[in-house]
Every structure is written in C-alpha cells, then in structure tokens.
C-alpha cells in the first residue's frame, strides 16, 4: 500500500496531538521550522500540514504571530423557511432578532450594470441587459455573518422609487416588500445550496481563514407569472452557522 503524502502524515499526527490535548484551545503551536525539525521534513511540508488543519477548522493563523489551536465557536442555526419572506420587513433582521442579536448590513449598489451571461440566464434576460448590482455585508451585533451579491433587472424597477435597494422609501425592507410596492408579487423563492471554500476576499470580509468551508446559496425570486425578478448569491461561513430548511405540509 502506498504511503500517504508526507504533509498528510504530519497533519494526521498534529491532529491527533491536538485532540489529545497536548495543546489547549488558544495555545500557540511551535513554528513550522521547529515542527519540520521534529518530524524530519522540510518546512514546506509542515506548512502544508498546518494549512490543511486550518481548512479543517482545528487551527487558525494570525498574521505576524503564528498558528494557534482554534477556540471552539458556537455554531448557530439559521432557518430558511417558506414563510420567512412574507412576514414583512427584512428577513435577515428578523432572523437575527430570533437569535437575540441586532442584524445590520452595509451595501453598495450600481445601476445599469450589464448582466453577465450566467446572471442573464438566471433572470431570463439577454446578456448585457442593464441590472442593478448590489453587494451586501451582513452583520450580527457588529460581527460578519454572511455576504450576498444581488442582481435585479432594470426593466422591472427603472423609474420607480425602489430602483436602488437600499435607498428610497422602502430601503432595508427586503426584496418581497419592495417589489410588492410597485405591483410585483413574489410567489416563489428557489434556492440551490452548494459547498465551497473561502477565497482570500471572502475570508477577509467574513473574518475567517482562507479555504474554510462555506455554504453558497444561489437564490432566485419569481413573481406570480413565473418571471425571475431578482437573483442573488449568498455566502455563509459554515464554521459559525448551520442552515436548516423548514417546509410546511399541505393539509389538503
């Protein structure tokens, strides 16, 4: 049987030592040079081993300081329900209130952004059609919770008070309430969840390590005629949140 790659053998050994309590949560590990000498391997091998354990969530790197055993974090549950979009106001703010936290967000919108081909396909419009593109950073008690990138066709909202999602009379009220104000009734939300790993940009915004597990949700809203009226990519750090879906049962 072929041997594991050397960095995997070192990662396995370090993992076992951490789980056995050799280093407590919050403790700093020896430097990669010290570990390389201990294991009789190159520094690049110990670096790859430590990077793997960072991805697994056992370790965390601190710039200019070293690598530490990660302290366990409380993993909260985010419930995505068929009813969540119809209770009025911001669903995110309501979700955070249920957790006893204050939900806030920052956003940056740009109008008349040509729809990239994948977005145009999701919105059933032509590539290059003008959209409002908004990036969101959501926070709970000031700590980053999730990211979102939203696209709305300007053919629906142009010339209305809600063309920019976070400006005007319904700023912060969510897509369902905003669209309803201009006579567009959203009937269905379709979500496609996929696992992913954090890029450097995502890690910086979410306060996590590069390569950590994420849940990315592709969400699209449809009106009563089945027309897509908004689509978004939602990014949630798996280390902090587990996502549960709640469905009602038709009693008819």
């Amino acid at each position: 049987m072929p041997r594991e790659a050397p960095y995997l053998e070192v990662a396995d050994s370090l993992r076992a030592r951490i789980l056995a309590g050799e280093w407590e949560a919050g403790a700093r590990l020896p430097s990669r040079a010290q570990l390389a000498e201990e294991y009789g391997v190159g520094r690049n091998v110990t670096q790859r081993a430590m990077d793997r354990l960072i991805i697994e969530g056992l370790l965390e790197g601190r710039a200019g300081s070293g690598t530490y055993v990660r302290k366990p974090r409380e993993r909260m549950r985010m419930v995505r329900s068929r009813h969540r979009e119809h209770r009025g106001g911001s669903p995110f703010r309501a979700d955070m209130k249920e957790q006893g936290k204050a939900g806030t967000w920052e956003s940056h919108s740009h109008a008349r952004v040509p729809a990239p081909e994948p977005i145009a396909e999701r919105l059933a419009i032509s590539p290059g059609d003008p959209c409002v593109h908004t990036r969101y950073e959501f926070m709970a008690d000031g700590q980053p919770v999730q990211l979102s990138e939203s696209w709305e066709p300007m053919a629906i909202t142009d010339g209305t008070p809600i063309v920019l999602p976070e400006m005007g009379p319904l700023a912060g009220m969510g897509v369902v309430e905003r669209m309803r104000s201009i006579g567009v009734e959203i009937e269905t939300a379709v979500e496609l969840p996929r696992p992913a790993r954090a890029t450097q940009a995502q890690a910086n915004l979410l306060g996590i390590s590069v390569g950590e597990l994420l849940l990315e949700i592709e969400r699209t809203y449809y009106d009563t005629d089945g027309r897509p009226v908004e689509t978004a990519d939602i990014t949630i750090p798996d280390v902090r949140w587990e996502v549960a879906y709640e469905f009602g049962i038709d009693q008819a």
Side-chain angles (χ1 to χ4, degrees):
M1 180 180 294
R3 289 181 57 193
E4 280 190 324
Y7 83 93
L8 291 175
E9 293 184 352
V10 175
D12 289 344
S13 175
L14 289 174
R15 186 187 304 106
R17 293 167 70 180
I18 291 167
L19 295 178
E22 182 171 340
W23 298 290
E24 295 181 353
R28 183 179 183 274
L29 263 66
S31 69
R32 63 179 181 176
Q34 291 172 308
L35 289 172
E37 182 177 354
E38 178 181 346
Y39 283 101
V41 296
R43 295 187 186 185
N44 62 318
V45 173
T46 54
Q47 184 62 56
R48 288 191 67 188
M50 295 166 89
D51 286 345
R52 183 177 183 87
L53 297 183
I54 287 172
I55 290 172
E56 292 179 8
L58 283 175
L59 300 178
E60 62 181 353
R62 300 180 190 173
S65 178
T67 305
Y68 293 77
V69 178
R70 165 167 279 170
K71 295 179 180 178
R73 294 176 180 171
E74 181 184 1
R75 195 162 179 255
M76 293 174 286
R77 174 169 291 187
M78 184 182 297
V79 179
R80 304 186 71 80
S81 165
R82 64 181 296 180
H83 305 293
R84 70 190 294 275
E85 307 295 350
H86 299 278
R87 57 193 177 197
S90 162
F92 174 76
R93 185 175 284 138
D95 285 345
M96 294 304 102
K97 185 177 181 180
E98 289 177 359
Q99 298 283 348
K101 298 179 181 295
T104 59
W105 58 88
E106 296 179 0
S107 64
H108 302 277
S109 292
H110 297 277
R112 307 198 182 282
V113 179
E117 189 168 342
I119 297 299
E121 184 175 350
R122 284 157 58 173
L123 290 172
I125 59 179
S126 298
D129 280 0
C131 292
V132 173
H133 178 216
T134 305
R135 294 181 185 271
Y136 291 91
E137 298 172 32
F138 292 93
M139 288 159 282
D141 290 346
Q143 298 300 311
V145 171
Q146 68 183 43
L147 308 174
S148 180
E149 191 171 348
S150 164
W151 297 81
E152 295 181 359
M154 292 196 68
I156 297 175
T157 60
D158 199 13
T160 73
I162 67 158
V163 65
L164 296 178
E166 300 302 321
M167 296 183 66
L170 293 179
M173 292 298 290
V175 180
V176 173
E177 291 294 318
R178 288 177 47 251
M179 290 293 177
R180 182 178 292 130
S181 75
I182 60 171
V184 177
E185 291 289 338
I186 292 178
E187 184 175 65
T188 307
V190 175
E191 296 194 344
L192 301 175
R194 303 183 181 98
R197 296 289 182 181
T199 64
Q200 183 68 67
Q202 290 170 325
N204 291 344
L205 291 171
L206 291 168
I208 59 178
S209 299
V210 175
E212 283 203 29
L213 187 63
L214 303 172
L215 181 66
E216 292 191 342
I217 300 173
E218 176 189 309
R219 183 202 67 206
T220 304
Y221 284 126
Y222 296 85
D223 68 9
T224 52
D225 294 324
R227 174 183 59 167
V229 299
E230 188 262 7
T231 193
D233 293 300
I234 301 164
T235 302
I236 301 169
D238 184 78
V239 71
R240 296 181 189 155
W241 294 90
E242 63 178 9
V243 175
Y245 283 84
E246 178 185 61
F247 301 93
I249 305 299
D250 189 352
Q251 301 297 318

